[in-house]
């Protein structure tokens, strides 16, 4: 039903127990340093990284456990500083790729929260970093189990449960979150999770199998693999009707033991989404794992630029969806044109979404 990712092992999660921390937004300055050092003619026309809205990023780790499933659901919340918050806080709930963790994709959590949008990163214990641990001979077995349909379903429950926990009255952040601007996002296997949460479904034993969470008003789908075992992708995605941003690259090929997925699969997923409220970003170059926290050894000087551009396009997309404002997305396309193979085109926003204006 879903595909495995080629994410390399990442640093383990933090110590057990709720924990807060601050992290400098140094990744936002990497692009500028590379350009200053002469990263190449293609990249030299891009602007240097701008100063972040806040010098520090606040994050909080949660050690949640879903009692109904007896399953741990660790999570990390990136929360905007006071200077970045303007009224109720929008929220992006992020699902990692195979072998990842809540500490991964930190550049997204840092950049989004610096601009006033909270980011909750869920860790999926059945398909997280522990896959890379243990006997290497059994790696294929662990990958098969993690990519199994049952784990795909558990991942959706993880996300919904994590959102439940964050929004419950006992959570200190619940009152500040804007319920009308909650967005699902994910990379690779996490992109599949995101699509299921926003309407994707399959038929099993004559019954439709879906786990949609109606609280999500839009989705950000990065490097979406096909739904393995399904021959009719259009039928699988027929009920996805929220605005969706798709992000990929011209070299976004998935290669892990026993699995292969070409770039065309990413484009096919985009094409099969039935709504016209969708946008596609294709970077010129950059591997499947360029969207993870892996750095210069994966993509050279292009790597930090793709990361920064991905974080920025996510926010520009949400300006279109929640504020009916196409200009940020248009300006993003013009700014990042030197590294784009395809730029997103703004689309008309449904009336019910356009009414969800960002409060000043």
């Amino acid at each position: 039903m879903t595909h495995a990712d080629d994410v390399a092992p990442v640093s383990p999660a933090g110590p057990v127990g709720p924990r807060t921390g601050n992290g400098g937004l140094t990744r936002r300055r990497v692009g500028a340093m590379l350009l200053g050092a002469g990263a190449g003619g293609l990249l030299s026309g891009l602007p240097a990284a701008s100063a972040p809205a806040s010098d520090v990023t606040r994050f909080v780790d949660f050690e949640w456990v879903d009692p109904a499933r007896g399953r741990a659901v660790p999570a990390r919340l990136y929360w905007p500083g006071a200077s970045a918050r303007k009224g109720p806080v929008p929220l992006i709930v992020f699902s990692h790729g195979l072998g990842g963790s809540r500490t991964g994709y930190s550049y997204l959590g840092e950049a989004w929260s610096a601009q006033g949008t909270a980011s909750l990163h869920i860790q999926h214990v059945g398909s997280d970093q522990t896959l890379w641990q243990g006997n290497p001979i059994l790696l294929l077995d662990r990958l098969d189990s993690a990519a199994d349909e049952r784990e795909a379903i558990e991942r959706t429950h993880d996300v919904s449960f994590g959102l439940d926990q964050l929004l419950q009255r006992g959570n200190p952040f619940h009152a500040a979150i804007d319920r009308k601007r909650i967005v699902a996002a994910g990379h690779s296997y996490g992109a599949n999770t995101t699509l299921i949460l926003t309407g994707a479904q399959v038929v099993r034993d004559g019954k439709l199998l879906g786990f949609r969470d109606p609280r999500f008003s839009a989705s950000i789908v990065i490097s979406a693999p096909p739904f393995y075992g399904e021959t009719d992708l259009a039928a699988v995605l027929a009920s996805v009707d929220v605005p969706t941003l798709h992000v990929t690259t011209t070299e976004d090929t998935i290669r892990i033991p026993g699995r292969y997925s070409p770039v065309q699969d990413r484009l096919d997923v985009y094409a099969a989404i039935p709504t016209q409220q969708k946008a596609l970003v294709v970077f010129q170059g950059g591997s499947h794992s360029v969207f993870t926290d892996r750095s210069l050894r994966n993509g050279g000087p292009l790597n930090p630029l793709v990361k920064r551009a991905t974080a920025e396009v996510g926010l520009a997309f949400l300006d279109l969806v929640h504020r009916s404002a196409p200009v940020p997305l248009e300006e993003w396309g013009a700014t990042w044109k030197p590294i784009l193979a395809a730029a997103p085109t703004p689309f008309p926003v449904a009336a019910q979404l356009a009414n969800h204006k960002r409060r000043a």
Side-chain angles (χ1 to χ4, degrees), residues 260-286:
Y260 171 80
S261 174
V263 177
Q264 187 60 42
D265 286 342
R266 268 33 95 223
L267 304 180
D268 290 345
V269 169
Y270 168 76
I273 299 290
T275 176
Q276 294 303 306
Q277 293 184 322
K278 60 183 179 179
L280 174 67
V281 172
V282 182
F283 290 105
Q284 185 68 53

Side-chain angles (χ1 to χ4, degrees), residues 56 100 149 157 181 204 210 218 250 315 324:
V56 295
E149 179 179 289
H157 293 328
R181 290 187 288 161
R204 288 292 183 270
T250 57
L315 295 179
S324 193

